[in-house]
Amino acid sequence: MSKLPKLGIMGSGSGSNCQSIYDAIQSGELQAEIAVVMSDNPDAYILERAKAWGVPVEVINCDGFKTKFPEECQAAVGARMKEYGVDLICLAGFMRLVKQPLLNAYPDRILNIHPSLLPNFPGLHAWAQAVEAKALESGCTVHYVDAGMDTGPILGQAVVPVLPDDTAESLHARIQVQEHLLYPAIIKKVLNELV
Ligand code: GRF
């Protein structure tokens, strides 16, 4: 039986960060296994990626709510993660706020990546917020998830300069290059310190 630590990845969109985690595992850089990929969006490309890798996928039932993550649904996700033997949950572009039922199931074992240098620009479209604010630099942050929005303890950051002619899209593209390096590296560090 495999003794590799098991990751449960949750995302709502393209899954490029999930891809970077998978690639780091494939290259041997990250000693882990992706046990399951879950999405609240049945059409999310992250699910297609996982299926192509042969990784189990699950669509999260949010009881028909568009943005809310109802407590009973969070509890169900926590229970499913346990059934998969997941050691660490990685949010990778997951667009709903995680609260107590899931946090209680995985205390200090849920990570998130956010596309800004937190505490600057929490919330949606952080890259657009940075351009609008005429910030000189932005970047990305990996942090533990707590019950706030992008407020948990910070594990690591990468700085990305904001160029004078940057659009929200061009800045986001450069931030994502750094995200794909930072997230697997921080996951590796956290896993090394587990147990
Ligand atoms: C990333 O920019 C991440 O920081 C944010 O959502 C985006 C997800 O992108 N939380 P992807 O689905 O991993 O490509």
Side-chain angles (χ1 to χ4, degrees):
M1 204 171 83
S2 162
K3 288 188 178 159
L4 288 172
K6 292 188 177 182
L7 305 178
I9 300 183
M10 296 168 61
S12 307
S14 144
S16 70
N17 279 286
C18 185
Q19 179 80 50
S20 74
I21 296 165
Y22 177 80
D23 291 345
I25 291 171
Q26 289 302 108
S27 73
E29 179 58 28
L30 180 59
Q31 309 280 308
E33 177 187 330
I34 301 176
V36 62
V37 171
M38 297 190 187
S39 180
D40 56 326
N41 171 8
D43 301 321
Y45 188 58
I46 192 172
L47 295 178
E48 299 310 313
R49 294 183 196 259
K51 284 183 208 164
W53 306 329
V55 167
V57 299
E58 297 220 351
V59 175
I60 298 169
N61 166 22
C62 292
D63 275 349
F65 287 100
K66 282 215 165 120
T67 55
K68 192 177 153 187
F69 195 5
E71 286 195 5
E72 59 275 20
C73 302
Q74 300 208 24
V77 166
R80 287 299 282 157
M81 289 288 188
K82 298 276 179 191
E83 283 169 30
Y84 279 101
V86 165
D87 300 295
L88 183 71
I89 295 177
C90 301
L91 306 185
F94 187 68
M95 299 305 287
R96 296 177 194 246
L97 267 188
V98 169
K99 295 270 185 193
Q100 282 315 326
L102 189 48
L103 292 173
N104 285 347
Y106 279 88
D108 296 326
R109 291 199 177 205
I110 307 180
L111 308 185
N112 182 43
I113 184 150
H114 182 78
S116 76
L117 296 175
L118 291 171
N120 294 334
F121 311 126
L124 290 177
H125 308 304
W127 53 89
Q129 293 185 51
V131 169
E132 276 159 31
K134 301 195 190 315
L136 294 178
E137 61 181 25
S138 190
C140 50
T141 302
V142 177
H143 63 95
Y144 284 114
V145 173
D146 66 10
M149 186 187 282
D150 306 320
T151 50
I154 290 172
L155 288 157
Q157 295 183 309
V159 175
V160 175
V162 182
L163 304 178
D165 57 352
D166 255 332
T167 61
E169 293 70 29
S170 65
L171 177 60
H172 189 213
R174 288 205 320 289
I175 289 173
Q176 285 226 289
V177 172
Q178 295 306 314
E179 288 184 337
H180 300 158
L181 300 172
L182 182 70
Y183 209 2
I186 299 293
I187 292 169
K188 181 175 180 173
K189 193 161 169 276
V190 169
L191 290 178
N192 283 342
E193 287 164 7
L194 276 188
V195 187

